[in-house]
Structure formats: C-alpha cells, structure tokens
Amino acid sequence: MVIEILQIVGIALISTFLALVVKEQKPNIAFLLVVFVGCAIFLFLVDQIAAIIQMVERIALNAKVNTVYVETILKIIGIAYIAEFAVQITKDAGQGSIASKIELAGKILILAMAVPILTVLVETILNMIPS
C-alpha cells in the first residue's frame, strides 16, 4: 500500500506541475488534464474499494447484521465520495455555485437513504423503554 500511495502522489505531483505549465498557454487542456488524472486515480483505487466492500459484507454476515442496512450504509458512503469528487472537479473548473448544489444534492440523497435506518433505530430504542 505504501508503494501505491507513492505512485498516486507521484502521478498527482507530475500532473500538477504539468497542468501549471500548460495552464499559461492552454487553460482548457490543463483542466482536462486535471480531470483525467483525477479519474485515473479513482480508477486505480477501484480494486481497493471492491476489497473494502467485500470485507465489510463478510463482517456483516459473520455478525448476522441485516444486509439491507449494510448495503444502505455502503451506498451512503459511495454517494458521499462521488459527490465530493464531483464537487472538487466543479470547483477546479471555477464553478463554485454548481459545486454547492452538488453538495446539497449529496446531503439530501444521504438523508433520504438514512431515514429507514433511523426509523428502525428509533423503533428499537422505543421498544427497549419499559411502558
């Protein structure tokens, strides 16, 4: 894993310096380079993401946790990461207003997905309280 982060940081730093040089002559190309490198880094991490998901699912099965809740939590985490990635790209493009709308949309989607889990949690707590 140490080698992987060194590769990612190396690619990112080289791309950053290249983007700074290219930005003076062709800002559009520099932006596309930054987006491409960001996507490449994300794709580089897909195997790690898949391994994490499998590990969490295995732990949930061993703990006899309802898989619906685990899947929902993983989807929520996915929404958070994807929204953050889109926000950063949008901010890099100088579109802060659109970035804030993406953040808001991500938060609303996360809240909507969390409502069933919160409902079960509240019902469980209410059932534990003696009548």
Side-chain angles (χ1 to χ4, degrees), residues 41-110:
I41 290 171
F42 180 75
L43 291 175
F44 184 77
L45 296 173
V46 167
D47 291 336
Q48 296 295 326
I49 294 168
I52 291 167
I53 291 171
Q54 289 174 352
M55 188 183 332
V56 169
E57 288 175 343
R58 193 173 2 157
I59 291 169
L61 287 174
N62 290 340
K64 294 182 177 50
V65 174
N66 192 338
T67 57
V68 172
Y69 301 127
V70 175
E71 288 175 6
T72 303
I73 290 171
L74 289 173
K75 287 178 185 177
I76 288 171
I77 293 169
I79 289 170
Y81 280 127
I82 291 168
E84 179 64 22
F85 185 73
V87 164
Q88 293 302 321
I89 289 175
T90 310
K91 284 182 179 178
D92 286 345
Q95 300 298 319
S97 177
I98 294 174
S100 65
K101 304 312 183 279
I102 294 170
E103 285 178 333
L104 177 63
K107 289 174 184 177
I108 290 172
L109 289 172
I110 287 170

Side-chain angles (χ1 to χ4, degrees), residues 16-31:
T16 300
F17 296 132
L18 185 60
L20 289 172
V21 171
V22 172
K23 189 174 186 176
E24 294 176 11
Q25 300 296 321
K26 304 258 184 194
N28 293 341
I29 301 295
F31 173 70

Side-chain angles (χ1 to χ4, degrees), residues 15-16 19-20 29-40 85 89 92:
S15 302
T16 300
L20 289 172
I29 301 295
F31 173 70
L32 291 175
L33 173 67
V34 170
V35 171
F36 174 76
V37 170
C39 291
F85 185 73
I89 289 175
D92 286 345

